[in-house]
Amino acid sequence: VTGNKWAINKEHIATMKDGAILANNGHFDVEIDVVRLKEMALSQRRIRQHVVEYTLPSGNRIYLLAEGRLVGQTAAEAHPAEIMDMSFAIQALAAEYLLKEPGSLENKVYLIPQEVDHSIARLKLKSMGIEMDELTDEQKEYLSSWTVGT
């Protein structure tokens, strides 16, 4: 997670314990020197999707996740593109909101305005062919209260 090239290199790999797991969650897929790992390995076998076992001359097995690519985007289900696009949209529209409010905001943490959040939700749902219902006044009251129904 350094964002730098070969943060895990041949020397590191050679001293890893049997069963070590390598996963890159950094900025680019250059942090783990996968080319050297492959050169060093006596054998490799796919254990399952996104997991390859490399056996080193020492007999130690190294498990590489997602081919050394960004594991959270390549192999995980937690952040698929369908979620990431909304996250990036929120970031972009929040930045736009800040730019439109020069000098009027204090230096503190703000919640994303509901109109920005809702516009992103509407756009996402529309791209999926889904229409969004409007909340009734009773539903709005319920969502804004911690006392109703408890």
Side-chain angles (χ1 to χ4, degrees), residues 25 50 70-89 91 124 128:
N25 198 33
H50 307 299
L70 283 71
V71 71
Q73 294 177 349
T74 307
E77 295 179 13
H79 297 291
E82 296 81 11
I83 299 299
M84 296 300 291
D85 67 345
M86 290 182 61
S87 175
F88 295 143
Q91 291 173 38
K124 179 62 178 181
M128 298 169 68

Side-chain angles (χ1 to χ4, degrees), residues 15 18 44 47 50 57 61 65 67 88 91 93 100 108 119-120 122-123 129 140-141:
T15 62
D18 184 37
Q44 70 180 55
I47 302 298
H50 307 299
R61 294 160 298 162
L65 305 185
E67 299 176 5
F88 295 143
Q91 291 173 38
L93 292 176
K100 289 180 177 179
K108 66 178 192 174
S119 70
I120 293 166
R122 278 196 271 306
L123 288 170
K140 289 177 189 175
E141 180 182 347

Side-chain angles (χ1 to χ4, degrees), residues 1-13 16 21-37 62 64-73:
V1 192
T2 65
N4 206 342
K5 190 174 186 177
W6 312 147
I8 302 293
N9 62 37
K10 182 179 180 176
E11 290 74 27
H12 300 116
I13 294 167
M16 290 184 176
I21 299 171
L22 286 173
N24 174 15
N25 198 33
H27 192 63
F28 292 110
D29 64 351
V30 297
E31 297 190 26
I32 300 169
D33 193 344
V34 176
V35 171
R36 297 304 169 277
L37 173 60
I62 306 296
L64 180 66
L65 305 185
E67 299 176 5
R69 299 185 181 280
L70 283 71
V71 71
Q73 294 177 349

